[in-house]
Amino acid sequence: MKHAVLIALGDELLSGIRREGNCSWLAGRLTRAGWRVDCMEILPDGKDSLPKYLENRVGTTDLLVLSGGLGPTHDDCTREALSSFLKVPLETADEAYDKVIARYPAEMRHLLEKCRDTQGTVPRGTRAVHNPEGSALGIAFEFSGTKVFAFPGVPSEYRAMAEQELASEISPLTNGTASVLVAGWPESLLKDRIAPVISRQELHISILPSPGLVEIFLRGNPADVVRGEDDIRLLVPGDCLPSGARSLEEAVIKGAAQRGLTSACAESCTGGLVGAALTTVPGSSAVFFGSAVCYSNSAKKSILSVSESTLNHFGAVSSQCAAEMAEGALRIFGTDLAVSVTGIAGPEGGSAGKPVGTVWFGIAGKGRTEAVKRLFHGDRDGIRNRASMFALLCLWRKVSEPEK
Amino acid sequence: MKHAVLIALGDELLSGIRREGNCSWLAGRLTRAGWRVDCMEILPDGKDSLPKYLENRVGTTDLLVLSGGLGPTHDDCTREALSSFLKVPLETADEAYDKVIARYPAEMRHLLEKCRDTQGTVPRGTRAVHNPEGSALGIAFEFSGTKVFAFPGVPSEYRAMAEQELASEISPLTNGTASVLVAGWPESLLKDRIAPVISRQELHISILPSPGLVEIFLRGNPADVVRGEDDIRLLVPGDCLPSGARSLEEAVIKGAAQRGLTSACAESCTGGLVGAALTTVPGSSAVFFGSAVCYSNSAKKSILSVSESTLNHFGAVSSQCAAEMAEGALRIFGTDLAVSVTGIAGPEGGSAGKPVGTVWFGIAGKGRTEAVKRLFHGDRDGIRNRASMFALLCLWRKVSEPEK
């Protein structure tokens, strides 16, 4: 197994203003390609700490990738740090920088020309890496058996350059790995259920939970992996996403498209999260018509036709209201299916009978309407996110249930 | 200035499945309290690497906080690593663990009792830290001038324990710091505009951009900071969020509440992101009534009464459609203001006249309707997020415009 170390530079990361995402993204790609990431480190801007850090790290790992510090301002010190580490001067990489400038409109080129002496330079003897998304060059070299890359920290540039330079390293292993996504199971119960597969010596299995979804990642001999995946799908019937779907929303949209079903939502406490999730999927417009986010009771009445008496007798957080909301969405959007969410996300609004975290879901379509209640824990954001995942799960189960 | 080092442990972070958030959160709190975070590091589970790492770090910084590895399973090795680093055995912290168990219902206590020998232990001579959110104890000690804390990696537990143990360290400096949030300015233009303040020797100014919003963080002598903040607000009139609001959505909700204005949205390409953002604010239900997410043209017609001829002649991504959507939302929700978003988020659907990234916004209320177009760059997620931020900006400007 090959080993990697990923480093991000930036005071904005250390001051908590921006959350690191480049290393995390590349780590995901490397892991799926069979690599092991030994550590990720976030270091400050400035050239003081980096050369010493590189002395300790270069030579101990197969791959070291730096993110950030390649722009034209005085904070950007990655190339100076690499030049000091390699004990060679910086030189203009004219050919590579010309290629970058050529991508820009004529009126911007004189501005970029001014930065040739900074973001157009690389340490002597290293390779300048083309930037297809921005203007700062990247840097690549090998030292003591470690391949070192430095890419700009702008996420689109970092990703494009990593895809371009590390294509063969990060293409997912297709032989000898498999990933099964299981919806609606807590990690601990799922572990018990698939214990017979986990215990197989010939398989290396990672359980990777995320809200509402658990990923089971298998590695091993290709035949063992295929058998392992098949057995997991047998042990958790109906709850494994189809292979190819990387999220619940993708499973909903693809499943609906396959079966020719259209869908819609009615949301209260999730405020639009369910619609936002479904519309992350490119092409969702073919099967997802919309979401009526009715936060106020008046909107529930006027838009979704929830009855006055339901709101008076049972309240907005009730099975009756959830059912009427789902039916209302089905009717106003004219879809085959609709899911609704109405609950108490807090911090205010809870009571003894309906504590914060109480959420009712309605699911309407195929001639039936059902309602189901869940009690979620956590803060306002946590409850809203869990409720949104559960609404997607309801919709996915309805989309994928066998036709009668 | 005091210095801190933040460490997170977890294979799920190094495999890119989960994005680190605890260190990032604490870094934000420490920065606002006047600390400097020197580095953040993500290390694997398992006890091999941590003791050596601690030997290098403890004694070189004022504060070192570890996240994760305190649960009851074999992956959880933080307490063994600390015990090995301190060269002392682990001991049960009965009093502290009893206090944790007492928080749980009777039927769960025997399960927690089983874990007393793991998550109820701390290295001899260290202090057990109460966990108000979960069941694993934290650990605190001081060594060679470094305060060391270990908290569980579950975000709600980490945050609660950090708030509890580090209350005095992370309370924001009120004297000698200020933060001004500016909406709708690109970082580079804003820097030019406030250059007279940036150049003042007596102020330390950080510019912290995030999508749609730039934070200007000032530190220095209290009188200089007050003058700096006042001058920035003068230089960027109308675009600084009121002090106290930490986000555009919070500014919208608070501004609307102050002025007694209700609002609603009509969303197409953002799919619910605008509603979801507004409803993150506790208490938003008093002034935000809902969002009609009308992704399909049929929903735009039937729910928002966008006219057939508008869709036929101008298309869904047009000033006419944006205006009719905003007016439709105003009417169906019965609010004072409404904002609409309709655009092409890609990757499909662009054309020469309306490339991917073209988004029209409508804003209706106070007897007028306006429409404005923006062209955003980036991928589908990026375009949707920028469009959502811009819709909030439109709404905030409308909420805060002087009454005539």
Side-chain angles (χ1 to χ4, degrees), chain A residues 41 271 275-276 279 291 293 380 384, chain B residues 41 271 275-276 279 291 293 380 384:
Chain A
E41 181 136 8
T279 54
S291 178
V293 181
R380 184 175 174 86
R384 282 159 43 96
Chain B
E41 181 136 8
T279 55
S291 178
V293 181
R380 183 175 174 86
R384 281 159 45 95

Side-chain angles (χ1 to χ4, degrees), chain B residues 112-189:
Chain B
L112 293 172
E113 204 51 72
K114 283 190 199 165
C115 307
R116 185 180 288 266
D117 288 345
T118 53
Q119 59 179 15
T121 65
V122 302
R124 178 186 292 167
T126 65
R127 182 165 60 84
V129 175
H130 178 62
N131 185 337
E133 293 281 328
S135 58
L137 294 178
I139 297 166
F141 63 92
E142 192 161 342
F143 194 95
S144 300
T146 301
K147 283 187 185 177
V148 179
F149 291 90
F151 303 134
V154 179
S156 59
E157 301 179 24
Y158 182 91
R159 291 182 188 202
M161 291 165 88
E163 299 270 14
Q164 164 189 294
E165 295 297 311
L166 298 168
S168 58
E169 334 287 24
I170 62 179
S171 66
L173 293 178
T174 47
N175 211 5
T177 69
S179 166
V180 186
L181 291 163
V182 184
W185 283 71
E187 181 191 0
S188 51
L189 288 183

